[in-house]
Amino acid sequence: MCRCCLGCSGEEGSINSKVILNIFYKLSRAVNVDVVVIGGGVAGLSALNTLFTHGVKDILLLEAQDRLGGRVHTIRQDGVLVEEGAEWIHGGEQNSLYRLATKLDAVDTNLPDDAWDHRFVTQDGRLVDSEVYELAELLMNKCKENGMLVPFYNTSYGQYYIDRIQEAYRPGNNTASGKALLHYLEHMVNYEEGTGSWQDMSARDADQFINYGDDHQWQDGYDTLISQLTVGIPDSTMKLSSPVCKIFWDTPDQARVLVVTLEGDTFLAQHVIVTASIGHIRERHKHIFSPELPASLVTAFMAVHLGVANKVQVGWDEPWWGTDPLDLHIIWTTFDLPLDMSWLYGEVNIYSIHRHRGVLQLFVTGANSIHVENLPEDIIKKHVLYLLKRVTGENIPQPTFFRRSRWSSNPWTRGSYSSYITVSGAKAGIHHRDQLAVPLTNSKGKAVVVWAGEHTHNTRYGTVDGAMDTGKREALRIVSLIKSSSSLLPAVEN
């Protein structure tokens, strides 16, 4: 069924003469505004905040969902606080987000390593030497050194690990222990990168990321950031449950952009900042933008995938495993699960979550993640309890807390965590994220649409600070454009 709010003649997004007439009608009724920000995630809110700070007040933010935050979503339920989306502040003083959180006195103190109950076991609970984890960590750290990934620029990030493990692990890849190590390493890397498959991610893209050091967490939830970004901003400038279905960026007016929501509200803006996730843009760009986006920009968008990573969080009133927070690593040496439980093969690390040691978290990536989104909650619980009983040998009580995220099913995200340039995308010439941030320039040569979001950051993609910095970047671009256009206007005589 067509979702185009202007009407069309068959295929979704196709435009006929009636629609063209309707455009003129919409133009005549549209509300004028200086800037429309599309998306109320961290990038959009950062853009909004920056515009306000620099004196641009005639702004409207349109958010498709009924809440702000985007892929930041803090849940408070039954006295438990969990993060359905972003969880970490990646890095220290070099990270603008860490500096902001420190200024707010909102960074929690990390637990020392020896405070954790680290366990390394097979799927049947047999103890495994921590050497497996240490070797995986060594390879993951080595890849961050200058030049290590250069030989793999024409292939995948995963190929680096496959090749290096042959050198680093003496028994070799083809032994039973080598295959178990490789499986463990693959899923640990997919956890860290938020990708579906390490063989799909370009090694060249992975090499662009700059690491800022240790991870940190918020004392009282990631939504502390959302509250901070909206301080002093009038509620009237943020419109929730307002998905944008059309952006006419080269209108008969030619000076402004016509933005239309699914409810039929229309706005004429001097500039538009699009902060939608790359997953949503990839899926909907043909239907949303008129004229269609330039081929070079489409090529760049289609070269970048958004990884699907979901969380399963299971909790008890008291931790049945002991008093210390649990860090359980599973080394799969046999693969004997029933087909409907095969998603559990991807679970190689189960751990206690921040500030709630009675709640365990499983991170599920790729095809397994999509599969889990479609399973009934009682089946997921059953599978998790089976795995925990098998690897610990304990009788596991029924949980009192359960949550499962569904980021791929969300049409406004179509994924979560990290975007990545694919191997095929890199071969097509997409090597830098600024290729996804080229402004749309209309027939008058005016830059009318700009792009923000973690996927447009060259070196900090997949991070909240990357999203925040790109929102600020594009807001400052708009401020500069507005000041430039104002300076060209004739002086008004008194």
Side-chain angles (χ1 to χ4, degrees):
M1 181 178 181
C2 174
R3 295 178 65 197
C4 172
C5 47
L6 290 179
C8 65
S9 60
E11 299 237 343
E12 183 176 358
S14 61
I15 300 176
N16 60 22
S17 58
K18 289 184 179 179
V19 174
I20 294 173
L21 290 174
N22 206 356
I23 293 172
F24 281 98
Y25 175 68
K26 294 286 186 183
L27 281 168
S28 68
R29 300 188 63 198
V31 176
N32 285 284
V33 62
D34 283 343
V35 184
V36 168
V37 178
I38 297 175
V42 170
L45 293 174
S46 180
L48 185 69
N49 184 285
T50 303
L51 288 166
F52 261 81
T53 300
H54 286 78
V56 182
K57 306 295 186 183
D58 189 13
I59 318 169
L60 180 65
L61 183 145
L62 299 172
E63 165 55 43
Q65 301 186 89
D66 60 0
R67 63 174 182 84
L68 296 172
R71 284 175 276 165
V72 169
H73 192 195
T74 303
I75 302 293
R76 292 173 174 82
Q77 176 182 314
D78 301 328
V80 175
L81 184 155
V82 294
E83 303 291 354
E84 195 160 280
E87 189 166 347
W88 300 94
I89 301 171
H90 297 288
E93 285 298 328
Q94 288 178 280
N95 185 335
S96 58
L97 179 58
Y98 176 84
R99 295 194 300 271
L100 172 60
T102 301
K103 183 180 178 181
L104 298 173
D105 195 25
V107 180
D108 209 354
T109 303
N110 286 341
L111 286 175
D113 188 64
D114 60 8
W116 290 80
D117 177 5
H118 299 288
R119 302 185 192 180
F120 301 87
V121 297
T122 69
Q123 71 285 337
D124 293 314
R126 288 183 287 109
L127 293 179
V128 175
D129 195 288
S130 61
E131 174 193 14
V132 175
Y133 169 78
E134 291 162 2
L135 180 55
E137 188 177 50
L138 173 66
L139 293 179
M140 292 168 75
N141 287 332
K142 288 288 287 185
C143 79
K144 297 169 186 175
E145 295 179 7
N146 289 339
M148 292 299 295
L149 290 177
V150 172
F152 301 91
Y153 271 14
N154 291 322
T155 183
S156 70
Y157 187 44
Q159 195 60 48
Y160 156 81
Y161 290 102
I162 293 169
D163 285 7
R164 287 303 308 277
I165 200 174
Q166 294 179 17
E167 304 167 10
Y169 189 64
R170 289 181 180 178
N173 272 5
N174 292 323
T175 64
S177 60
K179 290 177 181 177
L181 171 58
L182 188 62
H183 176 269
Y184 171 81
L185 178 60
E186 176 183 0
H187 287 285
M188 287 298 288
V189 170
N190 286 342
Y191 281 11
E192 181 169 279
E193 302 298 333
T195 61
S197 168
W198 64 357
Q199 289 283 38
D200 194 33
M201 181 180 182
S202 161
R204 180 191 293 268
D205 185 44
D207 206 24
Q208 307 306 308
F209 187 84
I210 295 178
N211 188 283
Y212 285 164
D214 293 339
D215 293 337
H216 302 271
Q217 289 183 301
W218 295 84
Q219 286 184 1
D220 191 33
Y222 228 121
D223 55 359
T224 304
L225 173 62
I226 307 306
S227 299
Q228 178 63 25
L229 290 174
T230 54
V231 168
I233 301 198
D235 291 342
S236 59
T237 65
M238 297 175 285
K239 191 172 174 62
L240 302 181
S241 302
S242 298
V244 170
C245 67
K246 283 293 181 182
I247 300 173
F248 295 93
W249 56 276
D250 205 1
T251 65
D253 176 270
Q254 286 194 325
R256 294 171 291 177
V257 181
L258 177 63
V259 178
V260 188
T261 70
L262 198 59
E263 295 300 315
D265 295 329
T266 55
F267 307 94
L268 266 178
Q270 298 290 341
H271 302 280
V272 172
I273 304 178
V274 178
T275 73
S277 81
I278 187 62
H280 179 70
I281 291 173
R282 280 170 51 89
E283 181 178 81
R284 299 292 303 167
H285 70 87
K286 285 186 178 180
H287 309 298
I288 292 175
F289 293 93
S290 182
E292 290 189 8
L293 298 178
S296 58
L297 196 53
V298 172
T299 298
F301 286 151
M302 300 311 289
V304 179
H305 285 189
L306 182 58
V308 179
N310 281 298
K311 296 176 180 179
V312 174
Q313 294 149 337
V314 187
W316 297 262
D317 293 336
E318 296 293 335
W320 46 264
W321 53 86
T323 57
D324 293 336
L326 182 64
D327 179 34
L328 178 64
H329 293 260
I330 304 170
I331 315 301
W332 291 88
T333 59
T334 59
F335 298 87
D336 56 357
L337 294 174
L339 184 61
D340 66 322
M341 299 177 71
S342 61
W343 69 273
L344 292 173
Y345 292 140
E347 298 315 299
V348 296
N349 186 209
I350 302 173
Y351 53 92
S352 301
I353 69 163
H354 177 58
R355 284 186 171 264
H356 292 284
R357 297 176 188 178
V359 180
L360 297 178
Q361 180 163 282
L362 295 82
F363 208 48
V364 196
T365 62
N368 287 337
S369 197
I370 296 173
H371 175 66
V372 168
E373 288 193 31
N374 295 308
L375 287 177
E377 290 189 356
D378 61 329
I379 297 298
I380 299 173
K381 287 185 202 176
K382 180 181 176 181
H383 290 178
V384 171
L385 294 180
Y386 165 85
L387 179 61
L388 288 171
K389 181 177 181 179
R390 182 169 176 176
V391 299
T392 66
E394 299 191 39
N395 288 319
I396 313 298
Q398 285 297 311
T400 56
F401 178 89
F402 179 87
R403 284 199 70 88
R404 173 265 312 267
S405 62
R406 304 181 70 181
W407 288 106
S408 179
S409 301
N410 186 330
W412 314 116
T413 58
R414 291 302 187 209
S416 61
Y417 198 8
S418 187
S419 60
Y420 59 96
I421 297 176
T422 63
V423 173
S424 59
K427 289 179 179 178
I430 307 304
H431 297 154
H432 302 285
R433 302 305 184 95
D434 49 18
Q435 291 172 268
L436 286 78
V438 178
L440 292 180
T441 303
N442 67 12
S443 300
K444 284 191 172 183
K446 178 183 176 182
V448 289
V449 176
V450 299
W451 311 88
E454 55 85 14
H455 59 281
T456 70
H457 200 296
N458 278 333
T459 61
R460 294 291 292 174
Y461 53 84
T463 67
V464 177
D465 61 274
M468 188 172 73
D469 290 349
T470 62
K472 181 177 180 180
R473 178 195 70 202
E474 296 307 322
L476 291 176
R477 188 201 298 263
I478 295 301
V479 169
S480 177
L481 290 171
I482 290 174
K483 287 182 178 178
S484 176
S485 62
S486 298
S487 67
L488 297 176
L489 295 175
V492 178
E493 295 184 5
N494 292 325

